[in-house]
Amino acid sequence: MTVQWTPPAGALCMRRVSHRIRCLITAGPTREHLDPVRFLSNGSSGKMGYALAGNAIARGWEVDLVSGPVALPPPPGATVHQVMSAEEMFRACEPLFAASDLFIAVAAVADYRPRETAPEKLKKTGGTLNLELVPTIDILKTLAARKRPGQVVVGFAAETQDLENCARRKLVEKDLDWIVANDVGRPGLGMNADANAVLLLGRNGESLAFGPAPKLAVAEFILAHIAPVSAGFVRP
C-alpha cells in the first residue's frame, strides 16, 4: 500500500544525536562525446540533486556533490566535484563513497557512450552516420555492491511507463536501500522542471508518495525518510 506523506509542522524531521552524516550526492547529466563539439546526453537540469544537497547542508551534514554540467550555482557549504562523462563521475565518486554514510545517486548518467571519440569535429558528408555505442559503467550498481554495514544507498528511477514495477526491479537488482521513482513523462514535472512528484520505495516494503511539489519540498521529504539512523540521527 502506498501512503501519501504530509510533512510535519516545524523544523526538520531529523535531529542530530551523534556525529555529522557524511553524504555523497550525484546530480545533473553526463555527456559522452562523439567529437570535441558533439555529445550524447539528456535533459537533466541537476535541480533535484542540488535541492537535496542544500537540504542536507541545512541539516548540518557534510556534503560532497559530484555534478555533471549544469547551469546552477554551487550550494553554499557543499564540496562540489565537477565532471563531464560517466567515467569521470565514477572516478570522482569511488573514493568519496568509501567515506560516506549516505550515497544518493540522483544524476541522470548516460547508459551508453560512443566506442570511439573523434579527435576533430566530424564533418557533414550528406550520407548516413553509423555510431557504435557501448555501455557506460553502472555507477550505482558498482558502488552499492561495496556497501558496508550501516551505509545507506539510494537510487533514482526516471521512468515514462510502469513506474512502480520498474523502480522495484531496480531496487532489487542493484541492492539498494531506497529508490525514488518519478514519472518524467508528466508535463511540468521531473527533468528540467522546478517541481516533482515522487514515489519512495524501500527494501523493507515501504511505499510513500509525495507531490507534486517544488523540488526543495521533495528534497525535504526524501531526506526525512532515508537518513541512516546508524550514523547518529534518529526520527523524533
Side-chain angles (χ1 to χ4, degrees), residues 66 70 81 135 173 194 205 208 220 229-230:
V66 178
V70 299
H81 310 261
E173 289 178 354
D194 294 324
L208 295 162
E220 162 66 16
V229 174
S230 61

Side-chain angles (χ1 to χ4, degrees), residues 207-223:
S207 180
L208 295 162
F210 183 70
K215 287 184 175 177
L216 291 174
V218 175
E220 162 66 16
F221 158 76
I222 293 169
L223 295 188

Side-chain angles (χ1 to χ4, degrees), residues 54-200:
N55 192 277
I57 291 164
R59 292 165 177 261
W61 300 359
E62 183 179 351
V63 175
D64 283 291
L65 177 62
V66 178
S67 177
V70 299
L72 297 171
T79 301
V80 181
H81 310 261
Q82 301 284 357
V83 300
M84 189 68 66
S85 68
E87 182 62 31
E88 288 178 5
M89 184 168 283
F90 174 69
R91 289 178 182 175
C93 285
E94 190 173 25
L96 298 170
F97 176 79
S100 68
D101 300 303
L102 173 62
F103 175 41
I104 312 176
V106 192
V109 181
D111 293 321
Y112 293 90
R113 62 173 178 82
R115 180 177 290 279
E116 302 291 339
T117 301
E120 304 293 341
K121 179 184 175 183
L122 296 171
K123 298 300 183 181
K124 183 177 180 179
T125 64
T128 60
L129 176 65
N130 296 317
L131 297 176
E132 184 177 3
L133 303 179
V134 296
T136 59
I137 185 168
D138 190 325
I139 298 172
L140 179 57
K141 186 174 183 178
T142 301
L143 295 180
R146 305 176 187 179
K147 182 175 59 176
R148 67 178 187 275
Q151 194 174 25
V152 174
V153 177
V154 183
F156 268 66
E159 305 291 346
T160 57
Q161 60 181 348
D162 202 13
L163 179 68
E164 183 168 352
N165 286 334
C166 289
R168 286 195 182 280
R169 183 164 57 249
K170 185 175 180 180
L171 177 75
V172 173
E173 289 178 354
K174 302 197 177 188
D175 193 24
L176 308 178
D177 297 292
W178 298 92
I179 192 161
V180 182
N182 64 304
D183 184 349
V184 295
R186 295 174 62 182
L189 297 175
M191 279 192 174
N192 206 27
D194 294 324
N196 211 348
V198 299
L199 178 63
L200 178 63

Side-chain angles (χ1 to χ4, degrees), residues 39-52:
F39 52 82
L40 302 177
S41 192
N42 57 66
S44 174
S45 64
K47 292 177 181 178
M48 191 70 254
Y50 276 58
L52 282 162

